[in-house]
Amino acid sequence: MFTVDKIEGDLIKKVDTVITNDYVKVCARDKFCILPQKFVDKFLTRIKQMEVYEDDIWIVTFIKCGTTWTQEMLWMLNNNLDFETALSKTLAERFPFIEIGALMAPVDVDSFEMCSKTPRPRHIKTHLPMFLLPDKIWSVKPKIVYVARNPKDVAVSYFHHYRHMHGYRGTMETFLNAFASNQILYAPYNDHVVDFWKIRNEPNVLFLFYEDMKRNLKLEVLKAMKFLNKNYSEDEINKLCQHLSFESMKNNPSVNFEDLLSMLRELHKTNGLPHIDAFNFIRKGQIGSHKEELTENESKMLNAFVDDPQLKECGFEYKF
Ligand code: PPS
């Protein structure tokens, strides 16, 4: 059912890092996704064949689209707004990332096992495209929340993530080249979004936009509350919105991945990578950071994502 192809050319080698490397093209029919060989060896079959439960909540996103923010919102809504547990247990424990063990070559974490064993109702994070999700997702129909973000801000956010988490030390231009030519981890972006947009009206699917959350968080919280069949008072919702604010999340060790970042910084150091500037996972949190961080030419390199005819064909438009 799947074929695993070698990626031709030099570009892929330029985005290979000490943390995430050995990229291959995982293909099925007309779909593909760039993933490390370790994903194919240790995760692909197990994820495809895994048990899925009706009360699971899956967050599915392309990387850097507001996953963490939405995870915290969903977990809180689905757990009776339990601020105490949310602050004492990390999001990574409460809402595990199923394929993270495949992304870090030097670290052997069986994140699949962690997800499988997590007590029900399970909350599971993935960046995998639709065609790589468990087969049973389509018959059991657990709740799936998808979040999209404009590709220019995604690319900028991903560049910083790739430097500070994966240990990339190349230029922005090379990174954007890889992103634009679908030669970076999880690419291609548009296919990822379009596949979920097409099923956005299914009763078990909630399709959100990062930009909507930024512009009116409360409205999106209310949408998610309804989707999860929960009911909270106006005061409780306001308190949740405060908890989900950029400033609050930035300073919340349960969601800001400081532990993971310091472990990765050590790994980078051990591997002799040059030291770079400081970084917060909850970094800028803006709509339009590409305007500040990309040159005109760099921004143009990403126009093809926005002008892609497949978006128009299915009535999808990115928000800026
Ligand atoms: S990951 O690594 O894929 O899970 O990253 P992800 O969580 O999807 O995306 C990270 C970006 O989301 C921003 N973020 C927020 N923005 C606004 N408000 C809140 N509360 C918030 N929490 C996270 C985060 O800053 C990253 O975007 P950039 O543009 O890099 O700041």
Side-chain angles (χ1 to χ4, degrees):
M1 184 178 174
F2 293 100
T3 58
V4 178
D5 295 350
K6 205 171 156 276
I7 303 164
E8 303 297 337
D10 280 348
L11 193 51
I12 196 73
K13 291 189 197 95
K14 293 184 184 163
V15 290
D16 221 60
T17 70
V18 291
I19 305 294
T20 311
N21 50 37
D22 210 3
Y23 288 119
V24 290
K25 207 169 174 178
V26 183
C27 313
R29 295 182 298 277
D30 58 336
K31 300 286 178 193
F32 74 92
C33 183
I34 306 299
L35 286 158
Q37 178 67 42
K38 191 175 177 187
F39 173 82
V40 178
D41 297 341
K42 299 195 169 172
F43 288 78
L44 175 60
T45 311
R46 288 195 296 163
I47 291 180
K48 280 309 277 180
Q49 297 177 354
M50 78 184 272
E51 205 50 68
V52 171
Y53 303 109
E54 220 178 77
D55 57 355
D56 283 352
I57 295 186
W58 286 72
I59 181 151
V60 189
T61 57
F62 189 82
I63 191 165
K64 307 321 286 182
C65 287
T67 329
T68 313
W69 194 11
T70 314
Q71 278 176 276
E72 185 68 356
M73 170 178 81
L74 296 172
W75 190 90
M76 291 298 289
L77 288 170
N78 210 34
N79 284 279
N80 206 22
L81 306 188
D82 182 354
F83 287 96
E84 208 180 302
T85 308
L87 294 170
S88 61
K89 242 176 138 183
T90 65
L91 187 58
E93 292 169 89
R94 291 178 279 126
F95 209 138
F97 179 12
I98 194 163
E99 77 272 15
I100 192 172
L103 309 185
M104 299 196 288
V107 186
D108 232 2
V109 189
D110 194 350
S111 47
F112 173 83
E113 193 67 13
M114 274 169 60
C115 274
S116 307
K117 283 191 180 152
T118 186
R120 287 172 66 182
R122 306 181 305 178
H123 298 75
I124 300 179
K125 161 182 170 177
T126 183
H127 293 311
L128 293 173
M130 186 181 269
F131 80 97
L132 292 174
L133 294 184
D135 290 336
K136 285 197 180 150
I137 251 190
W138 311 113
S139 54
V140 175
K141 298 184 188 289
K143 289 198 162 56
I144 301 174
V145 178
Y146 191 85
V147 192
R149 187 182 190 186
N150 83 66
K152 295 193 177 188
D153 287 343
V154 167
V156 168
S157 183
Y158 198 176
F159 170 73
H160 292 287
H161 175 106
Y162 209 60
R163 270 161 65 78
H164 291 273
M165 303 198 79
H166 298 256
Y168 175 67
R169 292 295 181 269
T171 62
M172 172 70 96
E173 196 188 346
T174 301
F175 180 81
L176 293 178
N177 248 321
F179 186 75
S181 56
N182 298 327
Q183 294 201 40
I184 190 76
L185 178 65
Y186 292 118
Y189 181 41
N190 278 359
D191 290 23
H192 203 291
V193 179
V194 161
D195 279 350
F196 283 92
W197 179 250
K198 287 180 179 163
I199 61 158
R200 70 192 179 283
N201 293 324
E202 292 293 319
N204 66 318
V205 175
L206 177 67
F207 193 105
L208 301 174
F209 286 88
Y210 176 91
E211 292 79 7
D212 289 342
M213 290 173 68
K214 273 301 289 183
R215 291 190 171 113
N216 192 340
L217 180 59
K218 197 167 170 179
L219 203 65
E220 301 313 294
V221 168
L222 290 170
K223 257 188 220 169
M225 179 179 89
K226 197 169 162 214
F227 177 70
L228 298 177
N229 301 316
K230 301 287 176 186
N231 207 355
Y232 297 106
S233 71
E234 177 88 15
D235 275 2
E236 286 172 322
I237 294 292
N238 288 341
K239 202 169 158 214
L240 175 60
C241 287
Q242 178 50 39
H243 175 77
L244 295 173
S245 71
F246 180 80
E247 278 311 315
S248 163
M249 286 199 43
K250 187 174 176 158
N251 296 310
N252 178 354
S254 286
V255 298
N256 67 16
F257 293 110
E258 261 314 313
D259 288 355
L260 176 62
L261 270 165
S262 57
M263 189 266 277
L264 290 170
R265 271 184 218 115
E266 271 314 301
L267 261 177
H268 298 166
K269 213 158 102 188
T270 318
N271 282 281
L273 293 179
H275 180 73
I276 49 173
D277 48 310
F279 171 74
N280 292 315
F281 184 89
I282 316 280
R283 189 185 65 95
K284 224 173 195 177
Q286 287 177 6
I287 303 173
S289 63
H290 68 275
K291 289 184 198 151
E292 291 164 18
E293 297 190 50
L294 299 183
T295 63
E296 214 177 305
N297 276 339
E298 285 168 346
S299 181
K300 274 189 192 152
M301 287 167 72
L302 304 172
N303 283 351
F305 283 95
V306 183
D307 303 332
D308 183 349
Q310 71 160 329
L311 304 190
K312 225 181 196 150
E313 275 163 27
C314 67
F316 177 84
E317 229 179 295
Y318 285 113
K319 302 195 179 191
F320 284 89

